Amino acid sequence: MRHGQADNNVNRILVGRHLESHLTKEGRLQVKDTAQLLKNMSISKIYSSPVTRAIETTHIVGEELDLDYEIDDRLYEIDLGKLAGTNYDEVLNKYGNLFLSFYMGDDSVLTDHGVESFISVKSRIKDLLDQVMNRHNNHNVLLVTHLDPIKAAISYILDLKPESLFKWHMRNAALTILKQEFRMWSISAVNFMGAKRYLYD
């Protein structure tokens, strides 16, 4: 599950993992709406990113499902280095499409700014998925995280080209549902959320 809409999403600010950004009123409503869907999925364990907007999301879901949660650093948002705190559109205007370059993994501007590589994100997400497979076999586990860790999971499973991956957008508080069978992952749903959101989001 991606965290609910946060202030940085509305203001198009790149905050990464270290700058604070809280859920908006709309974001909290999104999370509560998705939590109703989760009630039908027999969730047995919740892991959350340590970032504030993810913790706020997880707290709402945990209350709705009457479950505690565990923090896992592998669900962290990417480290944006020196780009943290900058405006999304200003970065595009100054450097071109760094975000596509991020998925391609070949841009010196990203390296110079200390941005975590997409290969690194994929590695930590793969490690977590392997652990979930081994530790929680035949149980439904909720991972609350961010846009790029979710894309990393999708990329790991489908081996998408960077251009295709760049075009995917994970909606706030939407679910990406992965299924494990015979120790292999498949994708059952992307951007799964309450029906009314498909009309307006």
Side-chain angles (χ1 to χ4, degrees):
M1 179 178 181
R2 187 182 179 194
H3 62 78
Q5 182 193 79
D7 294 325
N8 67 293
N9 301 131
V10 175
N11 297 316
R12 296 176 65 78
I13 301 296
L14 302 172
V15 293
R17 61 172 62 171
H18 298 302
L19 297 182
E20 291 286 326
S21 186
H22 296 277
L23 295 185
T24 62
K25 181 179 179 182
E26 176 64 24
R28 292 181 177 278
L29 292 174
Q30 291 171 346
V31 174
K32 287 183 178 181
D33 187 52
T34 301
Q36 298 310 305
L37 300 175
L38 289 166
K39 285 183 176 180
N40 300 315
M41 296 184 183
S42 301
I43 303 297
S44 61
K45 179 70 178 180
I46 304 175
Y47 292 98
S48 177
S49 158
V51 177
T52 299
R53 54 196 180 277
I55 293 291
E56 291 175 349
T57 297
T58 307
H59 184 72
I60 294 169
V61 171
E63 284 191 333
E64 292 288 336
L65 302 183
D66 195 25
L67 282 174
D68 290 329
Y69 59 88
E70 185 176 329
I71 300 296
D72 195 301
D73 287 351
R74 290 169 292 185
L75 291 169
Y76 245 137
E77 175 63 287
I78 63 171
D79 190 339
L80 285 170
K82 297 174 186 175
L83 292 180
T86 58
N87 179 274
Y88 181 95
D89 299 300
E90 289 176 5
V91 170
L92 285 178
N93 290 333
K94 186 172 183 179
Y95 299 110
N97 196 343
L98 280 185
F99 307 101
L100 175 57
S101 299
F102 171 71
Y103 300 116
M104 297 176 71
D106 63 353
D107 195 290
S108 60
V109 174
L110 291 169
T111 304
D112 291 345
H113 281 78
V115 177
E116 180 184 12
S117 71
F118 189 59
I119 292 173
S120 171
V121 182
K122 282 180 69 173
S123 176
R124 57 182 165 89
I125 291 301
K126 178 186 181 300
D127 187 61
L128 178 58
L129 290 177
D130 288 346
Q131 178 182 305
V132 167
M133 184 186 293
N134 291 326
R135 187 178 292 178
H136 303 285
N137 195 29
N138 296 321
H139 289 87
N140 295 328
V141 177
L142 177 65
L143 309 175
V144 181
T145 187
H146 309 268
L147 176 88
D148 287 311
I150 295 171
K151 285 192 175 187
I154 291 172
S155 176
Y156 165 57
I157 295 167
L158 297 182
D159 195 26
L160 291 178
K161 293 180 180 179
E163 294 84 359
S164 300
L165 195 60
F166 170 71
K167 293 176 183 176
W168 283 53
H169 183 64
M170 308 295 109
R171 299 292 177 186
N172 288 112
L175 301 172
T176 300
I177 302 177
L178 312 180
K179 187 172 184 179
Q180 181 270 127
E181 293 179 296
F182 309 110
R183 300 195 63 77
M184 294 182 63
W185 291 102
S186 61
I187 298 177
S188 297
V190 175
N191 282 327
F192 183 65
M193 52 191 175
K196 64 182 180 181
R197 290 190 60 199
Y198 289 102
L199 299 175
Y200 304 110
D201 280 12

